[in-house]
Amino acid sequence: MIEFKKTSEFSKGTFYEQLVDAYSFNDNCKKTWNEMWKEYDEFFYSNLEIAEKCSFITVLDGIPIGHISWDPRNRPDYVEIGHNCILTKYKGNGYGKLQLLEAIRRIIKEYNDLKKIIVTTNEITFSAQKNYESVGFTKVRKRVNNETPFSGDYIDYEIILRN
């Protein structure tokens, strides 16, 4: 059974460990983003009041299999989805879609004046692209990625809620 639990119910390092696993398909990911992932984990676990409002951990039969976070600081114009990952072992079973739909539901419920939800991914994450499109995100542009060329260009998506 899938559940969505508070980040505070899990130990510091959970986000980091999940990102390492989710991106294990390419060694360049960890080499490039390792410190950023550690800082991300540190931020949420040092600011649990933010974590409780802007993230959750997806649990399957008691096992944490993924997480998602979002940044609401630009509302009412937009909320930006941050990391959205599922452990490698659990990919391809629809859990990422359920996780994303739950995040969208929570965001819309919390910020009822919100104009849109945005997210950016890279060409290397083809499954993420399919996931975003499957729940209603529309691709708005591709941008050249000079920072991490191994991961391909950036792809920006959005869901328009109101004009």
Side-chain angles (χ1 to χ4, degrees):
M1 179 172 118
I2 284 284
E3 298 175 273
F4 305 109
K5 296 196 171 189
K6 293 179 178 182
T7 298
S8 62
E9 294 182 37
F10 300 87
S11 62
K12 182 178 176 182
T14 299
F15 282 1
Y16 171 75
E17 291 167 10
Q18 288 183 341
L19 288 165
V20 169
D21 179 273
Y23 285 93
S24 63
F25 63 88
N26 186 315
D27 291 339
N28 287 318
C29 295
K30 185 175 181 188
K31 289 176 190 170
T32 304
W33 296 321
N34 192 57
E35 288 308 310
M36 182 182 68
W37 293 340
K38 286 180 182 177
E39 290 170 11
Y40 164 75
D41 186 272
E42 177 69 33
F43 172 81
F44 274 97
Y45 282 94
S46 296
N47 297 280
L48 289 175
E49 70 283 355
I50 295 172
E52 299 312 292
K53 292 181 180 181
C54 301
S55 71
F56 61 81
I57 293 180
T58 301
V59 177
L60 175 65
D61 298 328
I63 300 167
I65 65 164
H67 75 273
I68 191 167
S69 64
W70 55 91
D71 182 347
R73 292 177 293 177
N74 293 297
R75 68 184 191 280
D77 292 334
Y78 64 89
V79 167
E80 183 172 9
I81 301 284
H83 286 293
N84 175 23
C85 77
I86 295 290
L87 296 177
T88 302
K89 178 179 177 181
Y90 299 96
K91 289 181 181 181
N93 295 300
Y95 303 129
K97 183 174 184 174
L98 292 173
Q99 175 174 274
L100 184 55
L101 286 168
E102 177 65 13
I104 291 167
R105 185 193 69 74
R106 290 181 184 201
I107 291 167
I108 291 170
K109 181 180 177 186
E110 180 72 21
Y111 312 112
N112 57 12
D113 61 343
L114 190 62
K115 293 178 183 173
K116 64 183 171 181
I117 303 172
I118 66 170
V119 66
T120 297
T121 191
N122 298 86
E123 288 178 316
I124 195 174
T125 57
F126 183 71
S127 60
Q129 296 167 49
K130 290 186 345 184
N131 192 23
Y132 294 125
E133 292 169 8
S134 77
V135 300
F137 279 91
T138 302
K139 185 187 310 184
V140 291
R141 75 179 156 270
K142 281 176 87 171
R143 295 180 285 126
V144 175
N145 176 0
N146 293 317
E147 295 83 26
T148 55
F150 73 88
S151 64
D153 288 340
Y154 297 114
I155 304 171
D156 298 324
Y157 289 93
E158 65 183 18
I159 291 178
I160 303 292
L161 302 172
R162 61 179 48 87
N163 292 326

